[in-house]
């Protein structure tokens, strides 16, 4: 393998490997009851399987036909998982995922048994692979309707939210990967793998950008479809929201929007809409403010608190997070605040 080939192998294979890691990350993140991330995890998984097959087949044409069949079969689920992921974000209701996954999974399994790639290579190349790419393309078209609000913003040159950029990137990335594979006969077979690697690293950069942000990038969908909350419901939510401070529920470091909704007997969607539209902030920032108020009271009444213990007792998960949040909200460090209060 020459130097340029080694570089191509490393770059494309690394993308597939990182795709697997991100798939695991989102699967674990989904355990925090963010169900849409299951679809994202599975989307990255089937893409990675498809790409790793391309990488090894390109550099080792004698690759086992069984492995080739698995890689090609994974393509049939790329479109459905893209569709389900975007649909889950766009619609505030449970998604019937089985209708979009099981028929294809069962179908490709039966085809694989009846016409294994090793014995029916011609049938796979002539019919099955082309059918899979057509099905993938159809789902790309169907998925586009869930990005219409984003397309309208782009057309009107309105600013996009971080979640808009993320969803648009996922959709565009999958579409470009499809295009790379569909045009491989006119370019190079490795183009799809390289496209996946490049797009994946763009997604990773977005994740890093998201992690440094104040907003809850994946936890809150921030989509309300112009549904206004009636006055009676507004009053009820305002009253119920007081329970969070009265019972100091925010002291739980893992207190989430979903847990708050359960405690207040509200839907997650309604509570998120109220906090975003009426209070003008994200749920995470609201809880952060509650914790800062708790910390201020402790600073005003307790003299022997260390900054680290003060942060933990206020609901923060680390000293640095507490210190940064406190100074941003009050303009002072905890020590400076306590000194100013004692004067």
């Amino acid at each position: 393998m020459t130097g340029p080939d080694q570089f191509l192998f490393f770059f494309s294979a690394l993308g597939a490997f990182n795709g697997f890691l991100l798939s695991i990350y989102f699967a674990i993140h989904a355990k925090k009851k963010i169900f849409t991330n299951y679809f994202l995890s599975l989307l990255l998984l089937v893409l990675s399987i498809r790409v790793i097959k391309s990488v090894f087949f390109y550099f080792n044409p004698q690759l086992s036909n069984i492995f080739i069949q698995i890689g090609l079969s994974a393509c049939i689920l790329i479109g459905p998982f893209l569709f389900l992921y975007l649909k889950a974000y766009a619609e505030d209701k449970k998604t019937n995922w089985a209708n979009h996954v099981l028929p294809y999974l069962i179908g490709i399994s039966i085809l694989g048994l009846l016409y294994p790639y090793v014995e029916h290579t011609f049938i796979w190349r002539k019919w099955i692979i082309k059918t899979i790419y057509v099905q993938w393309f159809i789902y790309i078209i169907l998925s586009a309707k869930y990005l219409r609000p984003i397309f309208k913003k782009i057309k009107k040159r309105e600013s996009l939210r971080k979640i808009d950029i993320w969803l648009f990137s996922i959709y565009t990335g999958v579409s470009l990967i499809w295009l790379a594979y569909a045009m491989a006969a006119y370019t190079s077979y490795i183009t799809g793998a390289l496209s996946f690697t490049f797009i994946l690293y763009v997604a990773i950069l977005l994740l890093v950008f998201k992690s440094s942000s104040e907003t809850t990038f994946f936890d809150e969908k921030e989509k309300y479809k112009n549904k206004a909350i009636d006055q009676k419901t507004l009053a009820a939510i305002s009253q119920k929201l007081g329970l969070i401070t009265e019972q100091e529920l925010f002291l739980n470091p893992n207190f989430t929007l979903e847990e708050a909704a359960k405690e207040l007997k509200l839907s997650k969607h309604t509570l998120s809409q109220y906090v975003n539209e009426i209070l003008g902030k994200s749920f995470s920032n609201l809880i952060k403010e509650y914790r800062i108020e708790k910390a201020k009271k402790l600073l005003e009444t307790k003299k022997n608190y260390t900054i680290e213990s003060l942060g933990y007792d206020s609901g923060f998960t680390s000293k640095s997070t507490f210190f940064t949040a406190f100074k941003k909200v009050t303009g002072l460090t905890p020590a400076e605040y306590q000194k100013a209060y004692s004067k």
Side-chain angles (χ1 to χ4, degrees), residues 85-92 146 221 223 225:
Y85 177 61
L86 296 177
K87 179 181 174 66
Y89 258 108
E91 297 180 353
D92 190 33
Y146 298 116
K221 301 178 187 178
K223 41 121 185 86
K225 302 177 184 178

Side-chain angles (χ1 to χ4, degrees), residues 7-23 44 47-49 51-52 55 192-201 204:
F7 174 77
L8 281 176
F9 178 81
F10 174 78
F11 189 67
S12 52
L14 186 61
F17 175 72
N18 286 332
F20 281 117
L21 292 182
L22 274 180
S23 176
L44 287 171
L47 276 169
S48 297
I49 292 173
V51 168
I52 200 67
V55 173
L194 294 175
S195 299
F196 177 68
T197 300
F198 174 75
I199 293 163
L200 187 64
Y201 280 111
I204 291 173

Side-chain angles (χ1 to χ4, degrees), residues 62-74:
Q62 305 305 318
L63 185 70
S64 170
N65 287 330
I66 294 298
F67 190 49
I68 294 175
Q69 181 175 323
I70 293 172
L72 293 172
S73 299

Side-chain angles (χ1 to χ4, degrees), residues 152-340:
K152 289 180 180 178
K153 287 183 179 180
I154 294 174
K155 186 177 180 180
K156 296 179 180 179
R157 297 184 178 180
E158 296 178 4
S159 60
L160 297 178
R161 297 169 300 166
K162 295 181 182 67
I163 188 62
D164 294 334
I165 298 172
W166 171 259
L167 295 176
F168 182 75
S169 299
I170 292 293
Y171 177 81
T172 304
V174 173
S175 301
L176 289 175
I177 292 169
W178 173 87
L179 182 62
Y181 278 120
M183 299 296 291
Y186 308 100
T187 55
S188 172
Y189 190 73
I190 200 64
T191 303
L194 294 175
S195 299
F196 177 68
T197 300
F198 174 75
I199 293 163
L200 187 64
Y201 280 111
V202 172
I204 291 173
L205 287 175
L206 282 171
L207 279 175
V208 173
F209 178 58
K210 160 255 175 180
S211 298
S212 64
S213 170
E214 292 288 326
T215 59
T216 50
F217 196 79
F218 292 100
D219 295 353
E220 298 175 36
K221 301 178 187 178
E222 298 182 299
K223 41 121 185 86
Y224 311 114
K225 302 177 184 178
N226 299 319
K227 292 182 179 178
I229 305 176
D230 60 82
Q231 292 299 318
K232 183 178 180 180
T233 304
L234 286 174
I237 296 175
S238 178
Q239 185 177 9
K240 288 183 177 182
L241 206 57
L243 292 174
I244 294 178
T245 53
E246 290 174 12
Q247 299 179 14
E248 295 191 328
L249 301 176
F250 57 85
L251 294 182
N252 175 7
N254 299 315
F255 189 60
T256 64
L257 176 68
E258 186 161 355
E259 290 173 349
K262 287 181 180 179
E263 289 287 344
L264 304 181
K265 294 180 173 57
L266 296 168
S267 74
K268 179 181 174 181
H269 176 82
T270 302
L271 180 57
S272 177
Q273 180 176 0
Y274 179 88
V275 173
N276 278 264
E277 292 187 344
I278 306 303
L279 301 184
K281 60 192 71 175
S282 68
F283 179 78
S284 62
N285 281 342
L286 176 66
I287 297 304
K288 190 179 296 181
E289 289 176 7
Y290 288 156
R291 289 169 178 164
I292 294 299
E293 287 302 315
K294 175 67 176 181
K296 286 164 65 176
K297 290 180 181 178
L298 292 175
L299 285 168
E300 293 166 6
T301 56
K302 307 290 184 179
K303 302 299 181 183
N304 298 320
Y305 258 100
T306 64
I307 293 178
E308 187 172 8
S309 62
L310 186 69
Y312 289 138
D313 288 349
S314 302
F316 288 93
T317 56
S318 69
K319 175 183 175 180
S320 59
T321 302
F322 165 62
F323 189 92
T324 301
F326 192 94
K327 188 167 185 178
K328 184 167 185 177
V329 172
T330 65
L332 302 170
T333 66
E336 290 171 343
Y337 179 87
Q338 189 175 53
K339 184 177 180 180

